[in-house]
Amino acid sequence: MFDGPFDVFALIIAIIAFLIAIKASSRAAELRRRLSSLEEMLFAQRQVQPPPLMPAPVQAEAPATTAAEPPPLVPEAEAPPPLVTEDASPPPLETSPEADAPPPLPAPAPGFEERLGTRWVVWIGGLALALGGFFMVRYSIEAGLVGPGVRVFLGGLFALALLGAGEWTRRKESISTIQALPIANIPAILTAAGTAVAFATIYAAYALYGFLVPATAFVLLGLVALGTLAAALLHGPALAGLGVVGAFVTPILVSSDKPDYWALYIYLAIVTAASFGLARIRLWRWLAVTTIVFAVLWTFPGLDTDEILVAPHAFHVIAGFVLAALLVVCGFMFGPTIEDGEIEPVSSSSLGAYLFGAMLIVLSSAHADLALIAFTLLVAATLFVAWRAPAATGALGAASATVFIVFAEWAVRANPDMLVLPGGPISGVGPTAIDSSVSLHLVTAAIFAAGFGIAGFLAQGRSNSTVIPVVWSATAVATPIAILVALYARIAHLDRSIPFAILAVLLAAAFGAATEKLTRRETRPGVAISTALFATGTLGALALALTFALEKGWLTIALALMSLGTAWISMQRPIPFLRWLAAIFAAIVTARIAYDPRIVGDAVGTTPIFNWLLWGYGLPALSFWGASIFLRRRADDAPLRMVEAAAILFTALLAFMEIRHFATGGGMTSPPSLLEFALQVCITLAMAIGLERLRLRSRSIVHNVGAVALTVIGGLISLFGLLILENPLIWRVDVGGAVFNLLLLGYALPAVLMLLLSYAVVGARGKVYANTIAGGALLFALAYVTLEIRRFYHGPILSSGATTGAEQYTYSIGWLAFGVVLLGVGILVNSERARLASAAVIALTILKAFVIDMSTLTGVYRALSFMCLGVVLVAIGWLYQRILFRRQIPPPAPQTSS
């Protein structure tokens, strides 16, 4: 349907214009309605009757107060001396006839027809003129109508005609009484279209047909760019916007099958210089941002080819960076002025954008030497510009991030281990012919680490702003640590490395010395936070030293110790950022555990308890508990709660992972067992009891929620694990010996812990919560009695064999004895809950006697069952009557003699 992308582009423009026209029509109708109401209101005001006559003195004073402007002043030399008499009054001031004139009516809002005819048509027409010139060049090439020389000549004539028409219309408007519309300036649009065609013509003459040598093309393009700059100064932002967009789009519309990147990037450098110069003169920041966006987008062509031309791409980003630094960055060289101590977004983002482009060139070229050198120069230039111009300090973050990405990608991609596989190197992985050497990376890494570190330290105290020294110190700490980690991953392959551990210790010593120096300085804005950051860097470097010198699992421990150390530093330096930093370290360690719960993979070991899990979970848990103690001394805030949550989490994970390791013999992958569920329930309930006691002192919401969460987890494991999934009455489970067996661990001990937990929450939580836990204790105690009787009759496998009459009778006797014991305990300690539990057990025994024993037992067992039940019930009644609820018989009334 469409012959090419240009027809589609034209159709899109038409559709957009139509939609804009529809929207303008609706807004015009609303404006006409408002204008009509305003005219009616003004007409009604004119019909109001004049005010009543005022006395003469008042009439004389009134015009003076309502006059539009006072009469002209008389010079002092010519002014006669005033005649003052006692009875004389000042003569009335004469008023201008203009004072009685009504105020001018506001200019009516433009209607739909006016908007369409004076604005949108002009914009679309100017764009159509520019596109017409480009399409004419394209058509002449495809149809072969004229030769290349004639095409270039006609394109030049068309450009000159448009420029001449623009200048002629500007002069005619300037000498006439017609005022140009600021948003639909016909001279500006004609000039912009002519500028775009001139750019395209010169570029085609050089890049497509070879009519111009590079020097001539450079001069002509420079002249056009300077002409655009001068024209935009006269015609306003419309020309600037259209001219810049047209100049950057020109290489797309007039393209070639064999692109010359040197010609392209020289052309773009000239366009960028002209645009930045115009933006600087007129202070159009939007123009600078638009230019930067287009320039960075022009970095992508050619990056996806097999043999990237590094030199022209490097020239493009370097030229753009230099121009941005000279003309865009506030307070540097020819850039705009700005107040000291402010970070200006455009100044920082302009440098960061070209650093991003340089990083892409390094990554796409497989770290070619020239690309890496160009990237190093731009990073060094960023440090220099930010040092001289505080407005560009925000670019330090971009520089630090790109440096880390470059070295991290080099560490991940260039893996020499892939080169020694039997099948040979894998395509795309490992060094290639243009890879830069390891020594060059080491040199640049040392330059980056020293540059960021030294500059970040020396920048302290140079600014009256708080943010600027903090940004310097943050990059001074983060960049060397990030580079050291990347080099360790690339060279040592994350294995033990004493040389890297020594480097980490030296880095920690440097950060420590910086901390000591800053501590002794006078108080300046931001120095306190910077001191804390250098102190944190000291802890981080020491943690890395442990990681490099020890096994991989020590990284988890090192990060946890960093959280503890940061919390301790926050006590010495009460800076809110340090509290959040301690919480961030805790979050990183938690994420590390989620990635590999075994911490060291298969090297956990088989020794129960004393294995890598104890160090990998125990030391972080201790660190987080200690950090929470330090943080709580200052405030109860979000960072403290994060660290407290991490402490509870790692304590629970330590218990669960050690139980898992013990139950599976170190395998960690076997299915769960009765032993594992029993230990989990006991440990979970014990930790819940501890948190219930702790929360009463700390009043921490984390301890409160943690206690409830552990109780719920223990209840779920008890219900689904012990009573369903691994119930020895249902499944074939070997419970062990006669007395000391899994039944004691899985049912008796949880019953005792549930009972203790229920007493721990009495008065602190609701009755329903405490009674529910007590009910669970009663259930598990009764289950233990039942399963132990079953073990006596069936041996270690409870699910095998039939239930005999003697066994059924023993169940009744055992339950009855258990109920009596509960009653005795309730009487001795005066516990109503124990007596109610006794009543529940005895009621269950009665139900069993009448439902099960009566139907299953025969002979003497049935008789004995009911006899014992009757005796016990009578005895219980006697106890309640004689001991618990004994009633005193009132003494008889004394008899009186009649």
Side-chain angles (χ1 to χ4, degrees):
M1 181 175 180
F2 300 103
D3 295 335
F6 307 101
D7 299 329
V8 178
F9 184 53
L11 178 61
I12 292 173
I13 294 175
I15 293 174
I16 294 174
F18 179 70
L19 295 177
I20 293 174
I22 293 176
K23 182 177 180 182
S25 176
S26 61
R27 296 185 62 184
E30 177 66 18
L31 291 175
R32 283 198 299 270
R33 184 185 64 79
R34 295 184 180 181
L35 180 61
S36 299
S37 62
L38 181 61
E39 289 177 350
E40 294 176 359
M41 182 180 64
L42 292 176
F43 179 77
Q45 290 179 355
R46 292 180 182 179
Q47 302 300 324
V48 176
Q49 295 295 331
L53 297 177
M54 295 179 291
V58 179
Q59 286 184 349
E61 295 176 0
T65 60
T66 60
E69 58 184 10
L73 299 175
V74 180
E76 294 182 2
E78 300 178 1
L83 297 177
V84 180
T85 61
E86 296 181 358
D87 299 332
S89 60
L93 297 176
E94 296 183 0
T95 60
S96 173
E98 298 179 357
D100 298 332
L105 294 175
F112 169 72
E113 182 179 4
E114 183 179 355
R115 288 176 179 271
L116 184 64
T118 61
R119 298 182 182 183
W120 303 117
V121 170
V122 175
W123 277 87
I124 298 174
L127 183 61
L129 285 175
L131 291 176
F134 300 145
F135 291 152
M136 181 59 68
V137 174
R138 177 174 176 265
Y139 174 74
S140 65
I141 293 174
E142 293 177 349
L145 298 179
V146 294
V150 179
R151 297 173 199 162
V152 174
F153 178 73
L154 293 178
L157 286 181
F158 185 59
L160 291 176
L162 290 175
L163 293 173
E167 181 62 20
W168 181 79
T169 54
R170 185 187 70 83
R171 290 171 179 254
K172 296 292 290 183
E173 286 183 349
S174 63
I175 63 178
S176 65
T177 59
I178 301 177
Q179 181 180 4
L181 294 175
I183 61 173
N185 195 339
I186 294 177
I189 293 176
L190 290 175
T191 307
T195 301
V197 175
F199 272 122
T201 302
I202 297 175
Y203 178 75
Y206 166 65
L208 298 181
Y209 311 120
F211 293 157
L212 302 175
V213 296
T216 304
F218 183 87
V219 172
L220 291 178
L221 288 174
L223 292 176
V224 173
L226 294 176
T228 304
L229 173 63
L233 289 173
L234 295 175
H235 293 280
L239 176 62
L242 290 178
V244 167
V245 172
F248 276 102
V249 174
T250 294
I252 300 178
L253 298 178
V254 186
S255 58
S256 174
D257 295 334
K258 296 180 179 180
D260 186 349
Y261 287 104
W262 275 111
L264 171 66
Y265 289 138
I266 290 175
Y267 163 77
L268 293 180
I270 297 174
V271 172
T272 301
S275 179
F276 282 167
L278 177 60
R280 171 63 186 92
I281 294 175
R282 299 299 295 268
L283 295 180
W284 290 339
R285 308 299 280 171
W286 62 268
L287 182 60
V289 173
T290 304
T291 305
I292 292 169
V293 171
F294 277 109
V296 173
L297 290 177
W298 270 111
T299 308
F300 288 91
L303 293 182
D304 56 347
T305 58
D306 295 334
E307 295 182 0
I308 177 176
L309 299 177
V310 178
H313 285 79
F315 165 78
H316 173 58
V317 295
I318 292 176
F321 184 94
V322 171
L323 291 172
L326 294 177
L327 300 173
V328 177
V329 176
C330 296
F332 183 79
M333 299 297 289
F334 308 107
T337 58
I338 193 174
E339 294 184 5
D340 186 22
E342 294 186 8
I343 298 179
E344 204 273 322
V346 177
S347 301
S348 301
S349 59
S350 61
L351 302 183
Y354 286 106
L355 285 172
F356 175 75
M359 179 195 71
L360 291 180
I361 297 173
V362 173
L363 301 183
S364 301
S365 64
H367 294 249
D369 288 347
L370 181 59
L372 188 60
I373 292 173
F375 176 73
T376 305
L377 292 176
L378 290 190
V379 173
T382 302
L383 293 176
F384 175 74
V385 174
W387 181 271
R388 297 293 302 273
T393 306
L396 295 175
S400 178
T402 53
V403 166
F404 174 71
I405 292 174
V406 166
F407 281 91
E409 194 272 345
W410 179 64
V412 173
R413 183 191 58 83
N415 190 353
D417 294 341
M418 306 299 293
L419 301 177
V420 296
L421 295 177
I426 298 178
S427 177
V429 178
T432 61
I434 59 174
D435 269 350
S436 60
S437 61
V438 176
S439 59
L440 180 59
H441 279 81
L442 294 179
V443 171
T444 55
I447 293 175
F448 289 146
F452 278 95
I454 296 174
F457 172 74
L458 296 178
Q460 304 304 311
R462 296 184 68 249
S463 175
N464 293 326
S465 172
T466 302
V467 178
I468 292 177
V470 171
V471 174
W472 276 103
S473 60
T475 55
V477 172
T479 307
I481 291 179
I483 293 174
L484 185 61
V485 171
L487 293 179
Y488 168 70
R490 169 63 174 82
I491 298 174
H493 310 289
L494 301 180
D495 291 331
R496 293 180 60 187
S497 175
I498 300 301
F500 275 99
I502 296 174
L503 290 177
V505 172
L506 294 177
L507 184 61
F511 287 152
T515 304
E516 184 65 21
K517 290 286 186 181
L518 293 178
T519 303
R520 297 179 180 178
R521 288 187 180 181
E522 61 179 357
T523 303
R524 295 277 295 174
V527 173
I529 300 178
S530 299
T531 304
L533 287 174
F534 278 106
T536 305
T538 304
L539 296 175
L542 291 176
L544 287 179
L546 292 176
T547 303
F548 298 158
L550 303 173
E551 299 293 337
K552 299 177 182 178
W554 287 99
L555 177 59
T556 304
I557 299 173
L559 292 174
L561 292 175
M562 288 177 64
S563 179
L564 175 62
T566 306
W568 180 80
I569 294 175
S570 68
M571 291 181 57
Q572 314 302 320
R573 300 283 181 178
I575 301 172
F577 172 75
L578 290 179
R579 300 176 65 87
W580 278 107
L581 190 60
I584 290 172
F585 282 134
I588 294 174
V589 176
T590 304
R592 166 70 177 85
I593 293 299
Y595 172 74
D596 185 8
R598 294 181 297 176
I599 301 177
V600 290
D602 296 331
V604 175
T606 58
T607 305
I609 300 178
F610 297 100
N611 47 55
W612 244 106
L613 297 174
L614 179 62
W615 311 114
Y617 286 94
L619 291 180
L622 289 175
S623 298
F624 295 146
W625 281 114
S628 66
I629 294 174
F630 291 142
L631 295 177
R632 179 165 290 279
R633 294 180 181 179
R634 291 286 182 183
D636 186 356
D637 52 4
L640 169 64
R641 294 168 185 174
M642 292 176 62
V643 175
E644 286 181 339
I648 296 174
L649 176 64
F650 271 79
T651 303
L653 288 176
L654 171 63
F656 276 72
M657 295 300 291
E658 286 285 8
I659 291 171
R660 181 71 177 161
H661 181 274
F662 175 75
T664 59
M668 306 290 289
T669 57
S670 302
S673 60
L674 178 61
L675 173 63
E676 183 175 354
F677 283 142
L679 292 174
Q680 287 176 352
V681 170
C682 294
I683 293 297
T684 304
L685 294 176
M687 289 190 296
I689 294 172
L691 282 180
E692 289 290 350
R693 299 297 185 187
L694 179 61
R695 78 179 184 89
L696 297 178
R697 297 196 305 268
S698 65
R699 303 294 181 184
S700 170
I701 187 175
V702 176
H703 296 163
N704 186 10
V705 175
V708 175
L710 289 175
T711 302
V712 172
I713 292 173
L716 293 176
I717 299 175
S718 301
L719 176 61
F720 293 100
L722 297 177
L723 297 181
I724 297 177
L725 296 178
E726 291 296 326
N727 192 334
L729 284 178
I730 304 174
W731 312 103
R732 184 179 179 84
V733 179
D734 189 348
V735 299
V739 177
F740 299 99
N741 49 37
L742 292 179
L743 301 178
L744 184 66
L745 182 64
Y747 297 91
L749 187 56
V752 175
L753 292 172
M754 290 180 187
L755 182 62
L756 295 176
L757 180 59
S758 67
Y759 277 103
V761 300
V762 170
R765 300 189 185 275
K767 287 186 177 181
V768 176
Y769 186 82
N771 291 336
T772 302
I773 299 174
L778 178 62
L779 175 62
F780 268 77
L782 188 60
Y784 172 71
V785 173
T786 304
L787 295 175
E788 195 62 45
I789 294 173
R790 183 79 175 177
R791 169 64 181 79
F792 176 77
Y793 283 96
H794 294 266
I797 307 298
L798 306 185
S799 60
S800 62
T803 303
T804 62
E807 184 180 349
Q808 283 288 3
Y809 173 73
T810 308
Y811 288 143
S812 299
I813 296 300
W815 290 7
L816 196 58
F818 179 57
V820 171
V821 171
L822 288 177
L823 180 59
V825 172
I827 293 174
L828 290 176
V829 299
N830 194 21
S831 173
E832 182 183 3
R833 296 172 59 190
R835 296 194 298 269
L836 292 176
S838 171
V841 174
I842 292 175
L844 184 62
T845 307
I846 294 172
L847 180 64
K848 177 182 180 297
F850 284 95
V851 175
I852 298 177
D853 294 354
M854 186 177 292
S855 59
T856 59
L857 295 180
T858 58
V860 68
Y861 289 114
R862 179 188 294 179
L864 290 175
S865 176
F866 280 89
M867 289 171 61
C868 292
L869 179 60
V871 171
V872 171
L873 292 178
V874 171
I876 291 174
W878 181 84
L879 288 174
Y880 270 85
Q881 293 178 8
R882 298 292 181 178
I883 298 177
L884 294 177
F885 301 101
R886 183 177 181 179
R887 295 183 179 180
Q888 299 290 338
I889 299 176
Q895 297 180 359
T896 59
S897 58
S898 57

